[in-house]
Amino acid sequence: DTAVSQTPKYLVTQMGNDKSIKCEQNLGHDTMYWYKQDSKKFLKIMFSYNNKELIINETVPNRFSPKSPDKAHLNLHINSLELGDSAVYFCASSPIGENTEAFFGQGTRLTVV
Amino acid sequence: AQSVAQPEDQVNVAEGNPLTVKCTYSVSGNPYLFWYVQYPNRGLQFLLKYITGDNLVKGSYGFEAEFNKSQTSFHLKKPSALVSDSALYFCAVTSLGYQKVTFGTGTKLQVIP
C-alpha cells in the first residue's frame, strides 16, 4: 500500500489553464504539506495543514489554493498556470510535532507549455 | 530565522570508501535535524534524525550522522559506500515551536564502481 500517493504523476498543460493535483495519505498523520522542487532541485515548502487547518502559507502566488477536505487528503489547485510554475510538486505527511519526519509522495512533474 | 547549508553540490567517492556529506545549520534554540535521500524521479525518503541525546545517530541503509553543537554541523557518514547509495541527499532543520522545516540545497552523491 502506498503511504502517500499523488495523482497525476505527470501533468503537461498550456499556459492559462487551471489544474489540480490530488494527494492522499493512509498513515493516519495529522499534518500534510505541499512542497515545490525547482529545476535545480531546490525544495521549498508551500503549504502545511494540521487536521485540515492551514498553518503554513509561504509566499506563494494566490493562484495556488490548497484544499483539505479531511485530514487524509490535501489537494492543490492552480489557476492561470504560468511557465514559471513548471516544477515537481511533492505532497508529504507527518505526525504532529516539529521533531517528526515527513513521508513524501512520488511527486507530480508539472510542465507548462 | 533558520537556515541550512550544504556546501558541496556533488561528492564523488569510490565504492567501498567512507563517505561524508556535509551540513551546517543555524537556528534559534535547540535544533531538530534530519537527513533525507532522493533517488531519481522519486520522492524524498527519511534516513535519520537528531532530536536530543546521543550525538551519533544511526539510520537506514547503514548511514549515520554526528551532531556537533559547537560547530553547528550534522554531517552524514557511511563507513563503506555502495554504488546504490548514489542519489541526492538533503539536510533539513527545524526547532521547537517553529513549524516550518528548512531544507538544504541538496548534495549529489556519486559512488564510483
Side-chain angles (χ1 to χ4, degrees):
Chain A
D1 266 353
T2 304
V4 182
S5 60
Q6 299 177 226
T7 53
K9 190 170 182 180
Y10 300 98
L11 187 52
V12 180
T13 188
Q14 290 187 324
M15 280 175 52
N17 283 353
D18 302 339
K19 290 292 178 185
S20 292
I21 307 171
K22 294 186 176 181
C23 178
E24 176 182 6
Q25 55 96 2
N26 63 7
L27 298 167
H29 290 162
D30 291 313
T31 306
M32 294 187 74
Y33 314 83
W34 278 109
Y35 284 88
K36 179 180 180 180
Q37 187 174 45
D38 65 21
S39 58
K40 294 185 178 179
K41 305 296 186 183
F42 296 158
L43 197 66
K44 190 172 180 188
I45 191 165
M46 300 173 70
F47 303 103
S48 173
Y49 273 72
N50 266 355
N51 277 319
K52 305 194 301 174
E53 180 185 347
L54 180 66
I55 59 168
I56 294 175
N57 185 353
E58 283 295 283
T59 320
V60 175
N62 57 16
R63 298 182 294 104
F64 290 78
S65 52
K67 274 209 175 121
S68 183
D70 55 62
K71 76 171 194 177
H73 296 84
L74 181 61
N75 304 323
L76 183 65
H77 189 75
I78 316 170
N79 289 330
S80 303
L81 278 153
E82 300 177 358
L83 292 176
D85 297 331
S86 296
V88 181
Y89 292 85
F90 287 102
C91 177
S93 73
S94 72
I96 281 184
E98 297 90 350
N99 60 359
T100 59
E101 62 270 24
F103 292 73
F104 284 76
Q106 82 278 17
T108 296
R109 183 174 295 276
L110 171 66
T111 304
V112 183
V113 298
Chain B
Q2 62 189 23
S3 64
V4 178
Q6 293 183 243
E8 302 152 318
D9 289 338
Q10 182 159 334
V11 169
N12 296 323
V13 63
E15 187 177 22
N17 281 4
L19 69 87
T20 299
V21 182
K22 294 180 181 176
C23 171
T24 58
Y25 66 90
S26 174
V27 294
S28 302
N30 293 323
Y32 299 141
L33 293 152
F34 304 82
W35 275 102
Y36 290 86
V37 60
Q38 184 179 25
Y39 297 100
N41 300 313
R42 302 291 296 275
L44 278 69
Q45 294 177 36
F46 169 74
L47 278 179
L48 51 80
K49 67 181 178 183
Y50 172 83
I51 303 301
T52 187
D54 196 347
N55 289 344
L56 184 64
V57 178
K58 294 189 184 295
S60 307
Y61 312 120
F63 284 94
E64 58 189 29
E66 186 162 12
F67 171 65
N68 187 317
K69 188 171 184 177
S70 62
Q71 296 186 4
T72 61
S73 67
F74 190 55
H75 301 331
L76 181 70
K77 300 182 181 187
K78 188 173 181 181
S80 177
L82 301 172
V83 172
S84 57
D85 293 330
S86 299
L88 187 59
Y89 290 80
F90 289 94
C91 182
V93 69
T94 188
S95 59
L96 184 64
Y98 198 77
Q99 293 169 326
K100 190 172 76 168
V101 175
T102 299
F103 282 82
T105 51
T107 298
K108 183 178 179 181
L109 174 66
Q110 191 80 27
V111 181
I112 303 158

